[in-house]
Each structure stands twice: as structure tokens, then as C-alpha cells.
């Protein structure tokens, strides 16, 4: 365990005038799981790209050492030859190819100068069986869910038999079952002597799996701790540079009158199909946060999408906003009624990545910045400055492309866009997915400010501790129906999970 297989020594990496890594030293021991933590922009991605040969030798100062000898990585292939494999957060698969073809792309078995398709299928089945991953080698990757595609990426890396495996946010798109499978695979690799670098914002996963934890902040190492000798509070303090008394800040707002009522709602995906949501009833008051949880496929996102007219056919039931019947045809109708949604997939539904921060912020509220057919630039710029300031969006200028921002700051832009529509009811679908601890805290503080202003919030979350920490009441969905309703005082992770599984009567 004490043998150092790879080390970075005194690494300095700059992009133009920006220093991304400043004197970083970092080492990996044989057969350990080493977690790398830090806020977005802390330097984690830069460091692992350097270790994997993406940032080549000569583009940085300092040195990389493998087995005690200086290593020169002039390409990713050099790093692979040294035994380093990296699984990026952004998948690099070919959707029109099969699972087997993606697994062995670049090393396809051949016979008589042609691809040996039978051998390819056999090797793919063997590798998947070895890792206990239930995937059809002949299936097209483009037909798989995101979680299954992530498992293909992981399997492909493991098929190269690396000595050092780097996993960058590997569970962001996985179900709970797939997460448990992945953690089991990583532990087994450690037992076989493989060193794993595990990057995640989910500290519960970090502490469940890591032997050591290194924290980066502003491109510098803040410390390395044995996981057994530290706790989440210390790691969070190292990440953000200050002690955090409570990750879920207390809210003192007293709920007022109901702003949103949903009564006996049943919804089908399309006409003639069975309902995907059945007999859903709940209300949320001014100044209140209603949490909605459930397992993957329970209908959480579909419920929010239906409320803004973007999903399904209503079979029965009604929705009221401020006591008035609401029947929306599209998102514009919902916004006009005071309802706004922040989608769970910000890159697909929330942002236009190739446009500026300013463009994205005002995109849904052009009526507020137009005079007749013309944009009032002074009014628009004032709203943009106000949003950037209030949400503390870290951007060089408001004209910077939103694609250049960190995940947390992209999420703030999505929130800002929704808030500029002046909603009374805000629907948040996984509002903290893929963002770091510091950005999460800012989102929670924003939620408290909004409820203090009298807004009602409906928050979907997969994290049970987040539901308990931020919600006044919690509705758990089970296969499209309500499995249980809890006040914050009543809620425990065991009860919420039992309700999500339709086994609330079995909970202690």
C-alpha cells in the first residue's frame, strides 16, 4: 500500500494569464482509492488531464514520476502505455457502434486481415461477465440509457488493464443500483492492486470508498487526509476555505396561503397509453419548499414537465395557481401564470452553450427588456448586472460564452433565467446535480431568500439528505403514484426509501 506508483511534483500549469495549478504535488500508492475533491475550477480536471497525457509534457512546469522515474507523456497513448486510464465525465462513445465495438475500438481482434466478429463478441461477453455488468454486446450504444453508456465507458477502460484508473464524476448519471455496482467494481480493483483516483462532489460516496482524500482549492493542494482520520466537515472546510456550520441553512419562513394545488392528477405519455402518473395530489404554499423524491422512473421529472405543458396528456385532475385553474399548452403559458422550471439537464434544456451569459439570462424574459419591437439595451444590461451580482455568477464578463463557466456557475445562469420571468412558483429539478459543495450552499441560500420573499418552491432531488435538509414537507413517488408524504420532523432516510419502494408499511 505504501509503494508510490505515480506522483506529480511541483506542477505549475497556466492557460494564458490564468494559473490553473500552482505548485501541486500529489502521489498515488499501489492498490489504493484516492479521492480528489474540490470546488469547480479548483484544478481537478487540469491535474488529471495532465496525468493522462491530455496536457502534454512541456506545456507545464514540474514533473510526473512513474515507479520512481521521470515520465514524459507526449500523448494520451504514452500515458496508457504507462498504465494510466481516464474515464472522463463527458462520454467518448460512438453511438452507431455496438457495445462490443466500443469496448475494443482500436484493438479489434483480427483474422486474415479482417475483423474477427465472432472473437469480438466472445471477448466482449467475457469482459462484461468478469465485471458482472449486464449489457448486450450486440446492442447499439446509442440505444442505451446514459447510465448504461457510462458502464460501457468504464468497462472499456478496465479492458485495457490499467495500473492507475481515473474516474471523473463516474456516478453523476447512474441509478442507485448502478452506483453500488460501480463502487463494488472499484473496491475489487483495489483488492487486485489497481490504483484508483476517484473524483466526486458526493462526499457520502467519497467516504464510503476512499482510502485517502486530497483537496484542491484555487489550483493549490490544501491537504491530504486518511479518510478514516477525517470527516466531511473538515473536507468541506478545506474545499471552500471557511467552516460551514450547516450545509443546509435553516429557514425561518412561516408558510402562507397555498400557491400551487395539484388535485387527483393522472397523466399518460401519449393518447391510448397507460398513465405514467396516477392520482397525484399535493399543495405548496408561499414561503414553503416541497420536496419530491423517488427512484429512477418514478415520474418525478415527468410531473414537473407536465406542470409547464412540456410532457404528456392529462387524463384527469386539475392544477391551480393562486386559486385559478391552470391548463397550459407550453412553457410560455406556464411562465405567464407565474410558474417556471429549472430542468435537471441544464446543458440540453436550460442553456444555449454557444451563446453568452447575458443572452442566456434574458432569453425567457424578453418582454421585460423590449419596447415594442426593439430591445431596450439599458434595461437589459441593468437586469443582467443585477442577476450576475445577486447570484454571484463568476464570469469574466456577461458576454463570456456560458460554455466557459464552471458547472455551478452554469446552474446559476439557469436559475437566473428562470427568476427573471418573475415566477411565484419555482420548480427545481435536481438543482444541485453535478455542482460542488460551495455552489450547493449558494443554491440553498438562494432558495431560502426566495421563500422569504413569498415564493413557493417544488424541488425534485435524488439525494435523500438534501430532501430532508431543505424541505418543509416531502412527497415520495413510487411508480407514478404517491408512496408517502412526510413533514421534515417525520422524515428519515429509511422512511423515504421505504416509501419510494412502495414498502412504507415495512419501515421502522
Amino acid at each position: 500500500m505504501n509503494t508510490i506508483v505515480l506522483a506529480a511534483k511541483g506542477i505549475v500549469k497556466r492557460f494564458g494569464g490564468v494559473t490553473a495549478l500552482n505548485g501541486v504535488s500529489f502521489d498515488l500508492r499501489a492498490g489504493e482509492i484516492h479521492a480528489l475533491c474540490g470546488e469547480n475550477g479548483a484544478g481537478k480536471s487540469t491535474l488529471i488531464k495532465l496525468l493522462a497525457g491530455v496536457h502534454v509534457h512541456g506545456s507545464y512546469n514540474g514533473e510526473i514520476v512513474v515507479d520512481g522515474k521521470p515520465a514524459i507523456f507526449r500523448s494520451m497513448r504514452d500515458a496508457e502505455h504507462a498504465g494510466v486510464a481516464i474515464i472522463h465525465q463527458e462520454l467518448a462513445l460512438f453511438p452507431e457502434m455496438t457495445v462490443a465495438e466500443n469496448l475494443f475500438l482500436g484493438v479489434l481482434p483480427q483474422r486474415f486481415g479482417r475483423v474477427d466478429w465472432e472473437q469480438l463478441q466472445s471477448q466482449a461477453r467475457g469482459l462484461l461477465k468478469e465485471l458482472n455488468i449486464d449489457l448486450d454486446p450486440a446492442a447499439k450504444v446509442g440505444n442505451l440509457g446514459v447510465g448504461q453508456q457510462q458502464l460501457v465507458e468504464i468497462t472499456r477502460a478496465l479492458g485495457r488493464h490499467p495500473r492507475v484508473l481515473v474516474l471523473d464524476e463516474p456516478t453523476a448519471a447512474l441509478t442507485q443500483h448502478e452506483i453500488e455496482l460501480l463502487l463494488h467494481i472499484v473496491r475489487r480493483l483495489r483488492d487486485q492492486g489497481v490504483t484508483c483516483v476517484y473524483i466526486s462532489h458526493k462526499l457520502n460516496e467519497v467516504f464510503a470508498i476512499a482510502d485517502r482524500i486530497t483537496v484542491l482549492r484555487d489550483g493549490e493542494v490544501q491537504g491530504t487526509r486518511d479518510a478514516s482520520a477525517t470527516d466531511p466537515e473538515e473536507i468541506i472546510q478545506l474545499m471552500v476555505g471557511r467552516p460551514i456550520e450547516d450545509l443546509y441553512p435553516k429557514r425561518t419562513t412561516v408558510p402562507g396561503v397555498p400557491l400551487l394545488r395539484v388535485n387527483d392528477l393522472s397523466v399518460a405519455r401519449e393518447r391510448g397509453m397507460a398513465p405514467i402518473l396516477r392520482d397525484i395530489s399535493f399543495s405548496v404554499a408561499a414561503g414553503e419548499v416541497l420536496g419530491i423524491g423517488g427512484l429512477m422512473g418514478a415520474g418525478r421529472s415527468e410531473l414537473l414537465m407536465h406542470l409547464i405543458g412540456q410532457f404528456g396528456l392529462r387524463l384527469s385532475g386539475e392544477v391551480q395557481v393562486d386559486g385559478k385553474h391552470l391548463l397550459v399548452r407550453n412553457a410560455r403559458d406556464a411562465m405567464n401564470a407565474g410558474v417556471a422550471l429549472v430542468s435537471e439537464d441544464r446543458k440540453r434544456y436550460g442553456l444555449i452553450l454557444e451563446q453568452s451569459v447575458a443572452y442566456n439570462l434574458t432569453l425567457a424574459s424578453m418582454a421585460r427588456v423590449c419596447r415594442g419591437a426593439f430591445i431596450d439595451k439599458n434595461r437589459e444590461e441593468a437586469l443582467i448586472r443585477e442577476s450576475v451580482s445577486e447570484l454571484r455568477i463568476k464570469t469574466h464578463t456577461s458576454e463570456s460564452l456560458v460554455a466557459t463557466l464552471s458547472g455551478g456557475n452554469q446552474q446559476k445562469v439557469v436559475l437566473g433565467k428562470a427568476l427573471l420571468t418573475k415566477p411565484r412558483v419555482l420548480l427545481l429539478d435536481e438543482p444541485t446535480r453535478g455542482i460542488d459543495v460551495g455552489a450547493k450552499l449558494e443554491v440553498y441560500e438562494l432558495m431560502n431568500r426566495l421563500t422569504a420573499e413569498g415564493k413557493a418552491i417544488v424541488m425534485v432531488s435524488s439525494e435523500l439528505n438534501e430532501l430532508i435538509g431543505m424541505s418543509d414537507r416531502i412527497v415520495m413517488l413510487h411508480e407514478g403514484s404517491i408512496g408517502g408524504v412526510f413533514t421534515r420532523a417525520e422524515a428519515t432516510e429509511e422512511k423515504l426509501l421505504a416509501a419510494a419502494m412502495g414498502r412504507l408499511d415495512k419501515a421502522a
Side-chain angles (χ1 to χ4, degrees), residues 368-387:
R368 293 186 62 191
V369 300
C370 286
R371 293 189 178 186
F374 299 96
I375 295 175
D376 184 337
K377 295 301 293 183
N378 291 333
R379 176 62 175 157
E380 182 183 38
E381 290 170 5
L383 288 176
I384 291 166
R385 283 196 304 270
E386 183 181 341
S387 290

Side-chain angles (χ1 to χ4, degrees), residues 41 81 113 120 147 225 255 285 303 383 402 435 446:
H81 288 160
L120 174 63
R225 303 284 189 270
L303 173 59
L383 288 176
V402 77
I435 64 176
L446 173 63

Side-chain angles (χ1 to χ4, degrees), residues 9 22 100 122 156 162 176 191 215 286 303 344 355 468 486:
K9 297 186 176 181
N22 187 20
S122 176
R156 180 170 68 178
Q176 189 59 43
D191 295 343
V215 177
L303 173 59
E344 66 171 330
Q355 292 289 349
I468 295 170
F486 309 86

Side-chain angles (χ1 to χ4, degrees), residues 379-396:
R379 176 62 175 157
E380 182 183 38
E381 290 170 5
L383 288 176
I384 291 166
R385 283 196 304 270
E386 183 181 341
S387 290
V388 170
S389 175
E390 287 188 357
L391 297 175
R392 289 178 280 188
I393 299 171
K394 295 178 181 177
T395 178
H396 184 60

Side-chain angles (χ1 to χ4, degrees), residues 20 51 55 91 136 145 162 194 204 209 243 278 328 389 410 436 486:
L51 297 180
H55 298 316
L91 301 181
D136 179 5
V194 177
N204 59 326
I209 200 169
R278 296 183 302 278
V328 297
S389 175
Q410 288 182 359
D436 58 61
F486 309 86

Side-chain angles (χ1 to χ4, degrees), residues 225-460:
R225 303 284 189 270
D226 288 336
S228 60
T230 186
D231 54 37
E233 288 72 25
E234 182 185 17
I235 297 302
I236 290 171
Q237 182 170 345
L238 289 172
M239 288 170 62
V240 302
R242 65 185 190 279
I244 292 179
E245 303 298 334
D246 191 347
L247 183 57
Y248 304 105
K250 295 296 184 287
R251 187 169 55 258
T252 57
T253 307
V254 177
V257 298
L259 290 184
L260 174 69
R261 289 185 182 275
V262 176
N263 299 315
D264 299 321
L265 182 68
S266 292
V267 176
R269 189 177 298 276
E270 295 177 2
R271 191 177 301 279
M273 298 182 70
I276 197 168
L277 298 170
R278 296 183 302 278
D279 304 320
I280 303 293
S281 295
F282 63 84
S283 66
V284 57
E288 182 182 31
V289 176
L290 177 74
I292 296 183
L295 302 178
M296 189 79 72
R300 301 166 305 175
S301 296
E302 290 83 354
L303 173 59
L304 298 196
M305 293 289 280
H306 179 77
L307 293 178
I308 65 160
Q310 293 299 108
F311 173 83
L313 174 70
R314 186 176 303 179
L315 303 177
S316 62
E318 71 166 350
V319 178
Q320 295 180 0
V321 174
D322 256 349
K324 299 177 182 177
H325 180 66
L326 176 68
L327 182 59
V328 297
R329 295 160 297 179
N330 51 48
R332 175 59 60 187
D333 288 346
M335 284 190 286
N336 289 339
V339 181
L341 170 69
V342 173
S343 168
E344 66 171 330
D345 191 342
R346 59 177 174 264
K347 291 185 177 180
R348 185 176 180 186
Y349 297 118
L351 297 170
I352 301 178
L353 293 173
E354 63 272 17
Q355 292 289 349
S356 69
V357 172
Y359 182 96
N360 277 274
L361 279 172
T362 58
L363 187 59
S365 53
M366 294 305 295
R368 293 186 62 191
V369 300
C370 286
R371 293 189 178 186
F374 299 96
I375 295 175
D376 184 337
K377 295 301 293 183
N378 291 333
R379 176 62 175 157
E380 182 183 38
E381 290 170 5
L383 288 176
I384 291 166
R385 283 196 304 270
E386 183 181 341
S387 290
V388 170
S389 175
E390 287 188 357
L391 297 175
R392 289 178 280 188
I393 299 171
K394 295 178 181 177
T395 178
H396 184 60
T397 74
S398 63
E399 294 304 316
S400 298
L401 295 185
V402 77
T404 64
L405 272 57
S406 68
N409 284 292
Q410 288 182 359
Q411 186 71 345
K412 290 179 188 177
V413 173
V414 180
L415 283 162
K417 183 179 72 171
L419 294 177
L420 282 177
T421 67
K422 294 291 187 181
R424 300 199 64 200
V425 178
L426 186 61
L427 311 177
L428 303 177
D429 195 355
E430 302 284 6
T432 66
R433 173 173 288 173
I435 64 176
D436 58 61
V437 172
K440 281 186 177 184
L441 182 59
E442 290 186 275
V443 170
Y444 299 148
E445 290 171 342
L446 173 63
M447 290 171 63
N448 285 354
R449 292 202 302 273
L450 294 173
T451 53
E453 294 170 4
K455 290 179 171 52
I457 294 177
V458 179
M459 178 186 70
V460 164

Side-chain angles (χ1 to χ4, degrees), residues 77-306:
R77 189 167 296 276
D78 286 346
E80 285 181 8
H81 288 160
V84 180
I86 182 170
I87 300 169
H88 294 281
Q89 189 174 0
E90 301 293 337
L91 301 181
L93 300 172
F94 291 87
E96 293 305 313
M97 291 185 175
T98 66
V99 169
E101 289 168 330
N102 273 278
L103 290 180
F104 292 97
L105 194 62
V107 288
L108 295 170
Q110 297 193 4
R111 187 182 184 195
F112 305 127
R114 297 176 180 270
V115 174
D116 188 335
W117 298 106
E118 185 175 337
Q119 180 65 16
L120 174 63
Q121 292 292 316
S122 176
Q123 288 182 1
R125 281 194 298 269
L127 181 59
L128 291 165
K129 183 178 181 181
E130 178 186 343
L131 297 173
N132 195 29
I133 292 176
D134 185 19
L135 289 174
D136 179 5
K140 277 193 175 182
V141 164
N143 294 333
L144 302 179
V146 175
Q148 292 175 310
Q149 291 184 18
Q150 181 77 299
L151 293 177
V152 174
E153 186 85 78
I154 291 166
T155 304
R156 180 170 68 178
L158 295 179
R160 307 296 196 267
H161 303 291
R163 297 177 62 203
V164 175
L165 179 66
V166 181
L167 301 103
D168 187 2
E169 295 287 351
T171 65
L174 301 187
T175 65
Q176 189 59 43
H177 170 73
E178 290 166 338
I179 290 172
E180 291 170 1
L181 173 60
L182 172 65
L183 297 184
H184 174 74
I185 291 171
V186 174
R187 291 189 186 100
R188 196 168 75 198
L189 290 170
R190 173 184 59 189
D191 295 343
Q192 294 171 356
V194 177
T195 299
C196 297
V197 180
Y198 196 88
I199 300 173
S200 178
H201 292 311
K202 300 178 181 179
L203 291 184
N204 59 326
E205 287 180 14
V206 167
F207 277 88
I209 200 169
D211 299 301
R212 289 195 297 160
I213 304 170
T214 291
V215 177
L216 288 176
R217 185 173 78 243
D218 297 330
E220 298 181 353
V221 173
Q222 301 302 308
T224 298
R225 303 284 189 270
D226 288 336
S228 60
T230 186
D231 54 37
E233 288 72 25
E234 182 185 17
I235 297 302
I236 290 171
Q237 182 170 345
L238 289 172
M239 288 170 62
V240 302
R242 65 185 190 279
I244 292 179
E245 303 298 334
D246 191 347
L247 183 57
Y248 304 105
K250 295 296 184 287
R251 187 169 55 258
T252 57
T253 307
V254 177
V257 298
L259 290 184
L260 174 69
R261 289 185 182 275
V262 176
N263 299 315
D264 299 321
L265 182 68
S266 292
V267 176
R269 189 177 298 276
E270 295 177 2
R271 191 177 301 279
M273 298 182 70
I276 197 168
L277 298 170
R278 296 183 302 278
D279 304 320
I280 303 293
S281 295
F282 63 84
S283 66
V284 57
E288 182 182 31
V289 176
L290 177 74
I292 296 183
L295 302 178
M296 189 79 72
R300 301 166 305 175
S301 296
E302 290 83 354
L303 173 59
L304 298 196
M305 293 289 280
H306 179 77

